[in-house]
């Protein structure tokens, strides 16, 4: 494992301890600070960012959803969402994590990692470009789990897209909207499809899409579809596009 990934793993261990073994009540509040991604930061967002910056800043300039650009221009950049699924974490709903992407000066992706801070799952791309899975605090590395016959899809931001919800319901698709985009991308192998409708940002998508690179990915300016079944991906694209054209 490279020094960068070793630093990521140590950061994830510290983040897991922060959420599971620390007294966090003082951090469970909004700060009034609007982050670079456009959302209001909470105390726990900023605490997570501080841990990641401490571990990862030696490897390049950090671009964070919370504080924006951190550090001097060094060619390499680290794009992070310090707390993917902030609202879930603030509600103590166990589906939240961290997203980390490492690029060179030209924007080429070199490393990608997504970690579920609720159950310790870590997904990352190794030196050979292969997707691997491990657990926080574990030395075991293995092929990612993949549900052979998933029954549900994942539709992030379903609450904001009733026409698309209606179209999926009519077509007989069951889905969930768990509220953490990078995590949901990482778990796409365990779902019929992943769908996001709305404005999408590198903080949310850069690492997650890298982890899905062997799946069918359809990107439009208004939505993103991912599936291990190309036929399903194209059907979800068609339903989504038709629904959006009705609005």
């Amino acid at each position: 494992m490279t020094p960068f990934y070793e630093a990521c793993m140590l950061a994830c261990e510290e983040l897991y301890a922060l959420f599971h073994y620390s007294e966090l009540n003082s951090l469970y509040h909004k700060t009034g600070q609007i982050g670079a991604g456009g959302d209001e930061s909470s105390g726990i967002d900023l605490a997570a960012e501080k841990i990641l910056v401490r571990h990862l800043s030696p490897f390049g300039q950090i671009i964070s959803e919370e504080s924006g650009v951190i550090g001097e221009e060094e060619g390499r950049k680290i794009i992070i969402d310090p707390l993917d699924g902030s609202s879930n974490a603030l509600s103590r709903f166990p589906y939240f994590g961290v997203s980390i992407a490492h690029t060179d000066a030209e924007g080429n992706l070199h490393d990608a990692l997504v970690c579920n801070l609720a159950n310790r799952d870590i997904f990352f791309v190794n030196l050979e470009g292969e997707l691997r899975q491990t657990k926080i605090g574990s030395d075991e590395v293995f092929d990612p789990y993949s549900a052979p016959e998933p029954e549900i899809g994942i539709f992030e931001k379903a609450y904001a897209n009733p026409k698309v919800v209606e179209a999926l319901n009519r077509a007989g698709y069951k889905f969930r909207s768990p509220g953490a985009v990078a995590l949901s991308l990482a778990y796409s192998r365990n779902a019929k499809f992943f769908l996001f409708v709305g404005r999408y940002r590198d903080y949310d998508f850069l690492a997650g899409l890298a982890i899905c690179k062997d799946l069918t990915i359809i990107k439009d300016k208004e939505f993103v579809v991912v599936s291990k079944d190309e036929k399903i991906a194209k059907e979800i694209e068609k339903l989504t596009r038709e629904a959006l054209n009705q609005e």
Side-chain angles (χ1 to χ4, degrees):
M1 190 169 289
T2 66
F4 178 75
Y5 276 131
E6 288 175 356
C8 288
M9 299 299 177
L10 288 173
C12 289
E13 284 190 41
E14 189 170 341
L15 287 166
Y16 185 82
L18 176 70
F19 280 97
H20 295 277
Y21 302 117
S22 302
E23 178 52 58
L24 295 175
N25 288 340
S26 63
L27 298 176
Y28 275 69
H29 63 277
K30 294 292 187 178
T31 64
Q33 173 181 322
I34 302 302
D39 299 322
E40 185 178 358
S41 301
S42 69
I44 199 64
D45 288 310
L46 298 177
E49 179 184 71
K50 185 176 180 180
I51 290 170
L52 287 166
V53 169
R54 177 157 42 80
H55 284 278
L56 302 182
S57 57
F59 298 93
Q61 184 183 64
I62 292 176
I63 315 295
S64 170
E65 183 178 14
E66 303 306 328
S67 300
V69 177
I70 302 169
E72 299 299 321
E73 175 66 53
E74 296 182 8
R76 288 184 175 267
K77 292 183 174 18
I78 303 157
I79 298 90
I80 61 172
D81 183 350
L83 188 53
D84 177 42
S86 296
S87 295
N88 290 348
L90 287 170
S91 304
R92 297 186 182 273
F93 179 74
Y95 193 79
F96 56 90
V98 60
S99 172
I100 303 169
H102 195 197
T103 72
D104 63 20
E106 286 72 45
N108 300 309
L109 190 70
H110 284 261
D111 306 287
L113 179 146
V114 174
C115 174
N116 186 334
L117 294 170
N119 71 359
R120 302 189 299 121
D121 280 346
I122 295 178
F123 303 85
F124 68 101
V125 179
N126 68 11
L127 285 171
E128 290 74 37
E130 301 166 328
L131 175 63
R132 305 295 282 157
Q133 188 170 346
T134 186
K135 289 274 190 180
I136 291 174
S138 172
D139 293 327
E140 182 184 6
V141 177
F142 48 90
D143 291 332
Y145 297 123
S146 180
E149 295 183 12
E151 294 194 358
I152 61 168
I154 301 173
F155 183 5
E156 291 290 6
K157 290 200 75 173
Y159 63 86
N161 296 281
K163 293 288 187 183
V164 182
V165 168
E166 184 181 351
L168 292 174
N169 281 332
R170 282 199 308 268
Y173 282 108
K174 296 179 180 179
F175 55 86
R176 305 291 184 265
S177 187
V181 172
L183 277 187
S184 292
L185 282 165
Y187 287 116
S188 290
R189 287 166 183 75
N190 295 313
K192 276 186 179 296
F193 63 87
F194 165 93
L195 172 63
F196 177 93
V197 179
R199 180 176 66 93
Y200 49 94
R201 311 165 300 182
D202 282 349
Y203 310 115
D204 303 311
F205 278 87
L206 199 57
L209 285 177
I211 286 169
C212 295
K213 66 179 183 177
D214 58 325
L215 307 180
T216 298
I217 299 173
I218 300 172
K219 289 198 294 184
D220 181 87
K221 64 180 181 178
E222 294 183 279
F223 61 85
V224 177
V225 180
V226 177
S227 179
K228 57 187 176 184
D229 185 320
E230 184 179 6
K231 181 179 178 182
I232 289 177
K234 289 182 176 179
E235 183 171 1
I236 298 300
E237 176 194 16
K238 181 175 181 290
L239 291 169
T240 302
R241 202 178 295 282
E242 289 174 351
L244 292 176
N245 286 338
Q246 294 175 13
E247 297 180 354

